[in-house]
């Protein structure tokens, strides 16, 4: 199975678990053995790529600002692009600019995805049962891209992916080994850095910097 084939599965699930007026948001970045795969929760309509008229990349965080603070702080985004992101209104992102941003993500050897690809109109809390519908497809993403390290954001995402109760505050800098279809992955749970978790962004940056140093990235 390829990432494009997975996208078809996500589009089917969007009709049940997302807003029918919005498109699924998939993933983006380095698709071949990235250093890090970052796993967030699910997209909202703030991502302008969810608009059905958008013909470019359907990748996370297009048209948003705050998450790029984290990637820039980790030296995973070039200053020129970061400055453009901070100066642009979300609605002013073009399909070409989104391509430039994700080419830069690719250059820095990481991959961005969500556990749930079900785009919502707002940042409503979703039940575990919804995310669990996407879990086997996320595992497929891991099998396809073969990341060296997987970073899971927040208690809910971490608990579902690792399939055990996780409190991020209690497991900072702890490496988990998770075996999926005979392949073992290194995973870390870190604080969610945006939205209601914005006040934890410094802790997320601190832990990811530690992980990157530990893993020699």
């Amino acid at each position: 199975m390829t990432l494009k084939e997975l996208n078809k599965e996500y589009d089917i699930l969007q009709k049940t678990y997302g807003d029918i007026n919005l498109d699924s948001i998939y993933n983006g970045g380095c698709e071949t053995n990235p250093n890090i795969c970052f796993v967030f929760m699910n997209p909202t309509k703030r991502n302008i790529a969810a608009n059905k008229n958008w013909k470019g990349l359907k990748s996370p965080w297009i048209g948003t600002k705050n998450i790029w603070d984290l990637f820039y702080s980790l030296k995973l985004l070039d200053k020129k692009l970061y400055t453009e992101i901070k100066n642009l209104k979300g609605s002013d992102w073009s399909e070409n600019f989104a391509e430039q941003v994700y080419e830069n993500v690719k250059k820095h050897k990481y991959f961005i995805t969500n556990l749930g690809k079900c785009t919502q109109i707002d940042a409503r809390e979703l039940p575990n049962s919804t995310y669990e519908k996407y879990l086997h497809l996320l595992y497929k993403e891991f099998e396809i891209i073969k990341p060296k390290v997987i970073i899971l954001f927040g208690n809910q995402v971490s608990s579902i992916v690792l399939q055990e109760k996780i409190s991020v505050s209690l497991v900072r800098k702890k490496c988990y080994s998770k075996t999926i279809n005979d392949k073992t992955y290194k995973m870390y749970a870190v604080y969610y850095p945006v939205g209601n978790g914005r006040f934890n962004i410094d802790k997320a940056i601190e832990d990811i910097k530690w992980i990157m140093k530990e893993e020699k990235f």
Side-chain angles (χ1 to χ4, degrees):
M1 183 173 276
T2 65
L3 290 177
K4 285 187 177 180
E5 288 171 335
L6 283 181
N7 293 348
K8 296 175 183 177
E9 299 294 322
Y10 294 137
D11 289 341
I12 292 170
L13 290 172
Q14 176 71 17
K15 295 175 183 177
T16 301
Y17 300 104
D19 189 289
I20 60 171
N21 297 309
L22 299 170
D23 280 348
S24 294
I25 295 297
Y26 310 127
N27 44 55
C30 178
E31 299 178 359
T32 305
N33 201 210
N35 288 335
I36 304 173
C37 172
F38 291 101
V39 184
F40 293 90
M41 296 177 73
N42 67 282
T44 72
K45 72 172 183 179
R46 285 192 62 206
N47 185 326
I48 62 171
N51 188 303
K52 290 186 177 294
N53 293 323
W54 179 273
K55 302 304 181 186
L57 293 174
K58 299 283 184 178
S59 295
W61 305 112
I62 292 175
T64 69
K65 293 181 186 289
N66 291 343
I67 194 58
W68 303 104
D69 295 342
L70 178 136
F71 294 126
Y72 180 68
S73 296
L74 296 171
K75 298 183 179 178
L76 294 178
L77 183 71
D78 290 351
K79 184 176 181 178
K80 180 178 180 295
L81 275 178
Y82 176 67
T83 301
E84 288 186 67
I85 287 170
K86 298 303 283 186
N87 288 334
L88 273 179
K89 292 181 180 178
S91 58
D92 289 340
W93 279 53
S94 66
E95 293 167 4
N96 180 63
F97 183 66
E99 288 276 359
Q100 290 179 51
V101 171
Y102 269 91
E103 280 300 312
N104 203 254
V105 171
K106 189 182 298 184
K107 167 187 162 184
H108 288 283
K109 296 206 70 178
Y110 62 105
F111 185 81
I112 307 173
T113 191
N114 290 293
L115 169 53
K117 280 36 174 208
C118 43
T119 310
Q120 307 291 332
I121 59 171
D122 52 28
R124 65 189 61 191
E125 184 176 342
L126 297 180
N128 287 354
S129 58
T130 296
Y131 288 119
E132 287 163 357
K133 297 294 184 183
Y134 287 85
L135 185 58
H136 70 290
L137 297 173
L138 181 68
Y139 286 170
K140 285 287 185 185
E141 283 186 35
F142 296 160
E143 288 181 45
I144 292 166
I145 67 169
K146 299 177 176 61
K148 296 173 184 173
V149 167
I150 296 166
I151 291 180
L152 309 168
F153 286 108
N155 295 336
Q156 189 176 23
V157 168
S158 300
S159 297
I160 292 170
V161 174
L162 289 167
Q163 297 186 304
E164 63 178 274
K165 184 66 174 177
I166 299 293
S167 176
V168 168
S169 63
L170 301 178
V171 298
R172 295 180 69 182
K173 302 173 184 175
K174 177 179 178 179
C175 183
Y176 289 85
S177 293
K178 175 73 175 176
T179 301
I180 303 168
N181 292 337
D182 299 323
K183 167 70 175 174
T184 300
Y185 301 89
K186 299 171 76 172
M187 301 189 185
Y188 294 87
V190 306
Y191 284 96
Y192 207 85
V194 288
N196 292 335
R198 176 71 180 177
F199 62 92
N200 284 322
I201 191 171
D202 290 341
K203 293 176 184 175
I205 290 168
E206 175 190 332
D207 288 357
I208 297 168
K209 282 183 175 179
W210 181 91
I211 293 163
M212 291 172 70
K213 184 177 180 181
E214 189 75 5
E215 299 293 341
K216 297 180 172 59
F217 295 150

